[in-house]
Amino acid sequence: MHSLLDSNFRKISGALILLLFLVYLCYASLVFGVIDTNWQTAIDAFRQYDGSNEHIVIREVRIPRVLNALCVGFSLGLAGMLLQSLTRNPVADVELFGLNAGAALFVVFAVTFTGISSLTQFTWIAFFGAATAGLVVYVLGSLGRDGFTPVKLILAGAAITALSASIRHGMMVLNEKAADEVLFWLAGSVGGRKLEYLTAVLPYMLVAWVIAFLLARPLQTLMMGDDVAKGVGQRTVWVKIITGIALVLLAGSSVAVAGPIGFIGLVTPHFARYLVGLDTRWVLLYSGLLGSALLLIADIAARFVAMPSEVPIGVMTALIGIPFFIYVARKGWDAK
């Protein structure tokens, strides 16, 4: 009993430390960039707004940027944890499984052939694209005598991602105006996104967050195997369906706000498990918090790499995620 209390105390303390770290990152994101400011200027931008460049940048650019990074990062961290638990695959991620690619493909298709520019419509299109891609990957990964396997899911996800990218690039070549509208969005960024973009999808994110934490215990059981889960009375089909819905909401809303940002959901669950063990409830919480932190770090770094220009945040997360993916894949292969 005493050891259990100590373990919970360490996990709670770790979560509080992560929250404090997030507060610092939010501060850094507010004050650092092409226009450097300070904390007092950030406070004055709300208490004594004077219309100066610094105040405008903080209120109109950096506050939405911070909030977008927090929410999108949290959503992608949860999505990666859910997908890795559902598939029992350590390299599962919404980027590698084609969910981001599907959402992006449908958005580019809508811009190219219908001229849609409304974020509300983008949101539903992104949701539908993520759901379609996820369904196709699941079906392809379940074909054959041995049925659903992690390796086949990876291959199916890679195939759908490549196919979606090819079709997407073809459409952009045919319509240069559409290419101009979505090119920077496709690289992934939380910059240049108004706060209205986030508020339009925040209800779907909140619903998905609640569903994710309600799924913590069922997923803990499901990770022991379908036979064990069924043996204790779990309706595994419903758990998988509801998890799929949560994944579509998380991936679709994130893509609608920030474009297809990869590797956040791949990296954070591994660090979360290292910090808190295998308890799904804590791993979910830590994955979300670490996702927000990692996206904020990537966003801040993106401002300084090619200053005064800015590198898309998707490039920064790829620089972090690809080496980690190779490490995890090699480690899993060597373990076999």
Side-chain angles (χ1 to χ4, degrees):
M1 182 67 178
H2 183 69
S3 62
L4 179 61
L5 290 175
D6 285 345
S7 176
N8 286 334
F9 176 76
R10 286 195 298 271
K11 292 171 183 175
I12 293 171
S13 300
L16 292 175
I17 291 171
L18 266 176
L19 286 172
L20 289 175
F21 184 52
L22 277 175
V23 170
Y24 171 75
L25 289 175
C26 290
Y27 162 75
S29 183
L30 279 177
V31 302
F32 296 136
V34 175
I35 299 177
D36 280 341
T37 60
N38 54 51
W39 184 244
Q40 187 60 50
T41 305
I43 294 174
D44 290 343
F46 292 91
R47 295 177 56 187
Q48 300 175 3
Y49 179 71
D50 60 11
S52 64
N53 287 340
E54 290 82 359
H55 286 187
I56 292 173
V57 166
I58 288 171
R59 291 185 59 164
E60 303 298 328
V61 177
R62 292 185 182 170
I63 286 292
R65 193 166 191 159
V66 168
L67 295 176
N68 285 336
L70 285 171
C71 294
V72 171
F74 195 84
S75 296
L76 292 175
L78 292 184
M81 172 55 191
L82 291 179
L83 197 51
Q84 289 180 16
S85 299
L86 180 64
T87 62
R88 298 190 289 278
N89 186 337
V91 295
D93 180 45
V94 293
E95 177 76 13
L96 299 175
F97 274 66
L99 298 182
N100 279 355
L105 173 62
F106 275 58
V107 169
V108 173
F109 180 89
V111 172
T112 302
F113 294 104
T114 68
I116 288 175
S117 59
S118 165
L119 180 69
T120 303
Q121 293 171 314
F122 268 18
T123 302
W124 288 108
I125 293 166
F127 285 160
F128 187 66
T132 303
L135 180 61
V136 172
V137 169
Y138 180 82
V139 170
L140 292 176
S142 302
L143 295 176
R145 293 183 178 180
D146 50 349
F148 177 96
T149 66
V151 173
K152 288 197 297 184
L153 281 178
I154 291 176
L155 295 175
I160 293 301
T161 299
L163 178 63
S164 298
S166 298
I167 297 173
R168 191 172 69 228
H169 292 154
M171 288 189 293
M172 292 169 64
V173 168
L174 293 175
N175 189 332
E176 293 183 3
K177 181 180 179 181
D180 292 338
E181 291 180 14
V182 301
L183 191 58
F184 190 79
W185 176 84
L186 285 172
S189 177
V190 293
R193 269 62 168 174
K194 297 180 181 179
L195 199 56
E196 289 80 1
Y197 287 21
L198 178 61
T199 56
V201 301
L202 189 59
Y204 310 115
M205 284 186 174
L206 292 174
V207 169
W209 296 352
V210 172
I211 293 174
F213 284 101
L214 290 176
L215 286 169
R217 287 190 180 277
L219 283 174
Q220 186 88 49
T221 304
L222 187 63
M223 289 172 66
M224 300 178 187
D226 285 10
D227 292 337
V228 174
K230 291 176 181 177
V232 297
Q234 185 183 95
R235 297 181 178 179
T236 57
V237 173
W238 281 108
V239 172
K240 293 177 181 179
I241 290 173
I242 295 171
T243 303
I245 293 172
L247 283 168
V248 168
L249 290 174
L250 292 168
S253 58
S254 297
V255 172
V257 172
I261 296 176
F263 299 104
I264 296 290
L266 167 66
V267 173
T268 56
H270 289 276
F271 283 106
R273 293 188 195 99
Y274 176 79
L275 293 173
V276 298
L278 299 177
D279 188 326
T280 307
R281 294 169 299 175
W282 285 104
V283 176
L284 274 169
L285 176 61
Y286 272 64
S287 294
L289 293 176
L290 288 167
S292 296
L294 184 56
L295 197 57
L296 278 168
I297 291 170
D299 182 44
I300 294 168
R303 306 175 196 181
F304 292 94
V305 171
M307 188 178 286
S309 299
E310 185 171 314
V311 176
I313 197 172
V315 175
M316 301 304 300
T317 58
L319 290 175
I320 298 169
I322 290 176
F324 191 83
F325 169 75
I326 295 171
Y327 167 76
V328 173
R330 285 181 60 85
K331 184 179 178 181
W333 181 263
D334 292 341
K336 295 178 182 180

